[in-house]
Amino acid sequence: MVPDSRFDVAVIGAGIVGLTSAYYIKKNNPDVNIVVIDKAPTYAQGNTARSAAGFRDMFSSELNFNLSNSTIGFYRHVQEELGHDVGMKFVGYLFLTSDDDPRLKVLQKVSQRSKVRTLDAEALSHYDFLRTKIDVETKALMNLKDIDLGVLGENCGTIEPELIADFYYNSAVRLGVKFLFNTTVREYRLDPVDPLDYPGEPFLWQKKHLKKLETNHGDIEADIFISCTDVWTTSLLDPTGIDSHIRPKKRQVFQISGPSVENILFGWDQNKEGVLPFTILPSFGVYLRPAPKAKSLWVGTADDYNRDYSFNEEPDAEREYYDNSLAQVIQAYFPTMSYPKVTGMWAGYYAYNTIDGTPYIFKDLNIIVASGTSGSGILKGDSIGRIVEAVYSGKEYAELYNGKKIKSSALGIENREVEREEFII
Ligand SMILES: Cc1cc2nc3c(=O)[nH]c(=O)nc-3n(C[C@H](O)[C@H](O)[C@H](O)COP(=O)(O)OP(=O)(O)OC[C@H]3O[C@@H](n4cnc5c(N)ncnc54)[C@H](O)[C@@H]3O)c2cc1C
């Protein structure tokens, strides 16, 4: 075993979810001896590093609204009151929609909770780079929708995930949380609680628990294990017979640059930053995310059909997907955007909860699982950490930063109290 290989709590995964979980457990239980283990050389190297790094509190489910609204409030507090810059820019999220979009009703519901402004066709026509009426032929060929309305969420924008990760990592280290990097957990294997030292244990009738993690640096024992391993959760949990309830879905981001991109990026005048909001087109969920420091836009979508659930440790972004699918849709709405350069691209995975699109936080035996972030784990990260802490501490409710109380069991399996989320981007 590695030196100091016995802990009260072992958190596996040092992405945003592992960092917030470790931080809140240690903060509220100062005497607990916690280790965070990650196979990467440092923290926030998994999907936390590959995201489009947008934040919004525009969700169809009230629970997701609260998870995100509270997290945004806390990140803002970190940036504005604690003076730790996390790169938050309140550029807004602009949902462009058509009169016959079935999501219009949902947007209306969302508008009652989130701080939004509506931009009608006339207000949008002010932006001559945006085409709101698609010609009949293109519309028919590509199944595109016109833009009749924009709904601009104002408590939304972009963030730098590595900076918010720095905040939780440094705060956790200061409280005494230990980190072990370059340490790969092979799998979770259950042991008997009261071993008889008999071959083939544990038997059906023996109480079981996870006693230790086998890693490339030896065994690590703990009383409680917190699995914050995102899409890797399924393969780690599988040998135990506990279901992760998630599936991986590849997601890609393409960075585009050039004069025609800059005209659009800096051609918006309705936020302090003077940049295009995080914009979602009415067709196929295609989005454009401003990256003004690099004078670029990031584009992507949450595609569904023909995007299988396979998993590859190092996924590649597919340039032809940009050329043949995304670029065509973007060009239809932004006709002045002529052949921008693709100056970067990357891919990662959403850990999808395919049933309700909302995170899972549940305890089985002495393992707490926090996963299923379904493409919005950064913008809900603080709330997830607080709920993991409540589950760990056996509290009936977790109190979020915005003062809302969430039942600790609400995101669990047995007593789940979640509506299906309709706004997965
Ligand atoms: C293209 C893309 C765009 C996205 N856009 C957004 C967005 O705009 N806003 C938003 O909020 N979210 C977004 N997301 C989702 C967001 O990135 C995730 O929800 C979030 O990062 C999940 O955090 P995590 O800590 O659960 O996972 P991760 O950051 O993936 O952390 C899991 C960690 O577990 C470690 N690990 C795995 N297996 C082992 C093992 N066997 N041993 C040791 N360590 C292990 C990994 O190394 C990793 O560091 C996006 C994701 C993608 C891919």
Side-chain angles (χ1 to χ4, degrees):
M1 286 211 287
V2 276
D4 296 333
S5 58
R6 176 88 193 71
F7 297 89
D8 299 318
V9 177
V11 176
I12 308 103
I16 190 69
V17 171
L19 292 170
T20 57
S21 300
Y23 170 67
Y24 282 113
I25 292 174
K26 185 69 179 171
K27 186 166 180 262
N28 291 355
N29 305 273
D31 297 335
V32 164
N33 188 11
I34 307 185
V35 66
V36 180
I37 300 158
D38 204 295
K39 61 184 177 167
T42 185
Y43 54 96
Q45 298 297 296
N47 285 307
T48 297
R50 295 174 204 173
S51 88
F55 66 83
R56 61 183 161 117
D57 62 3
M58 298 171 80
F59 283 93
S60 65
S61 103
E62 188 172 351
L63 179 57
N64 280 326
F65 166 75
N66 277 317
L67 298 180
S68 55
N69 178 271
S70 175
T71 297
I72 294 167
F74 185 76
Y75 291 173
R76 189 172 199 160
H77 161 72
V78 169
Q79 177 159 294
E80 292 178 3
E81 279 150 358
L82 304 185
H84 181 113
D85 183 19
V86 296
M88 267 182 130
K89 307 270 185 232
F90 285 80
V91 295
Y93 258 57
L94 177 64
F95 283 84
L96 295 172
T97 180
S98 60
D99 285 341
D100 58 349
D101 186 343
R103 294 208 297 189
L104 192 55
K105 264 205 185 116
V106 189
L107 266 175
Q108 279 158 353
K109 195 168 103 184
V110 167
S111 307
Q112 290 161 10
R113 281 193 293 255
S114 307
K115 196 176 163 213
V116 304
R117 251 185 321 128
T118 302
L119 304 176
D120 60 18
E122 202 201 317
L124 291 170
S125 69
H126 175 65
Y127 301 100
D128 54 10
F129 53 74
L130 184 67
R131 181 189 277 155
T132 52
K133 299 283 172 227
I134 309 292
D135 65 84
V136 178
E137 256 177 44
T138 314
K139 220 164 144 178
L141 176 72
M142 294 179 62
N143 298 300
L144 299 178
K145 291 181 189 317
D146 284 339
I147 297 171
D148 298 310
L149 191 76
V151 180
L152 179 67
E154 296 190 304
N155 193 29
C156 307
T158 58
I159 188 166
E160 296 189 32
E162 66 282 9
L163 297 183
I164 190 66
D166 283 347
F167 168 79
Y168 286 107
Y169 171 76
N170 290 321
S171 307
V173 168
R174 264 199 303 278
L175 293 176
V177 173
K178 187 160 184 205
F179 283 80
L180 292 177
F181 294 117
N182 294 309
T183 304
T184 304
V185 175
R186 297 212 168 97
E187 60 181 16
Y188 302 156
R189 264 218 181 268
L190 301 181
D191 277 316
V193 174
D194 299 308
L196 303 168
D197 291 329
Y198 203 83
E201 288 183 271
F203 302 118
L204 174 67
W205 36 268
Q206 280 178 302
K207 271 197 185 156
K208 297 160 194 72
H209 68 166
L210 186 62
K211 181 167 183 262
K212 60 177 189 298
L213 301 171
E214 283 177 35
T215 79
N216 53 327
H217 292 307
D219 292 351
I220 295 168
E221 284 189 21
D223 295 330
I224 299 281
F225 296 85
I226 322 269
S227 190
C228 303
T229 43
D230 201 51
V231 276
W232 292 272
T233 306
T234 309
S235 61
L236 283 168
L237 265 184
D238 270 356
T240 66
I242 300 170
D243 192 355
S244 72
H245 301 280
I246 59 151
R247 301 199 79 189
K249 199 74 141 167
K250 182 167 153 182
R251 294 291 172 240
Q252 316 180 59
V253 178
F254 299 85
Q255 173 173 293
I256 54 173
S257 315
S260 63
V261 169
E262 286 173 41
N263 281 342
I264 295 167
L265 172 65
F266 297 114
W268 185 261
D269 56 3
Q270 302 216 26
N271 55 35
K272 218 173 76 214
E273 313 292 331
V275 297
L276 190 78
F278 195 122
T279 301
I280 300 96
L281 298 178
S283 306
F284 313 111
V286 173
Y287 65 78
L288 300 93
R289 185 265 199 211
K293 268 198 219 160
K295 297 185 178 165
S296 303
L297 286 166
W298 296 355
V299 301
T301 188
D303 51 333
D304 217 343
Y305 294 120
N306 277 350
R307 178 65 60 199
D308 67 22
Y309 288 103
S310 60
F311 177 72
N312 183 329
E313 191 64 34
E314 291 297 335
D316 287 325
E318 301 148 22
R319 174 61 201 255
E320 67 281 9
Y321 182 75
Y322 170 77
D323 288 337
N324 300 332
S325 291
L326 290 176
Q328 310 296 325
V329 176
I330 292 166
Q331 181 107 51
Y333 291 100
F334 296 95
T336 58
M337 185 142 33
S338 51
Y339 304 104
K341 264 201 192 134
V342 176
T343 45
M345 54 184 175
W346 62 91
Y349 288 94
Y350 281 9
Y352 248 113
N353 166 345
T354 54
I355 303 292
D356 57 40
T358 304
Y360 283 117
I361 302 173
F362 63 91
K363 184 172 179 198
D364 201 336
L365 302 176
N366 60 336
I367 308 169
I368 296 172
V369 177
S371 184
T373 47
S374 306
S376 47
I378 292 165
L379 63 89
K380 294 176 190 157
D382 186 76
S383 299
I384 292 174
R386 289 172 194 257
I387 298 172
V388 169
E389 188 280 322
V391 172
Y392 167 79
S393 302
K395 296 174 184 163
E396 194 182 349
Y397 288 93
E399 187 165 344
L400 302 187
Y401 179 70
N402 69 359
K404 286 275 172 206
K405 289 193 170 169
I406 306 287
K407 261 196 194 159
S408 306
S409 58
L411 291 165
I413 308 294
E414 279 170 28
N415 299 307
R416 195 164 176 82
E417 289 176 44
V418 167
E419 299 160 45
R420 182 179 165 77
E421 179 53 53
E422 303 191 48
F423 275 178
I424 294 187
I425 295 171

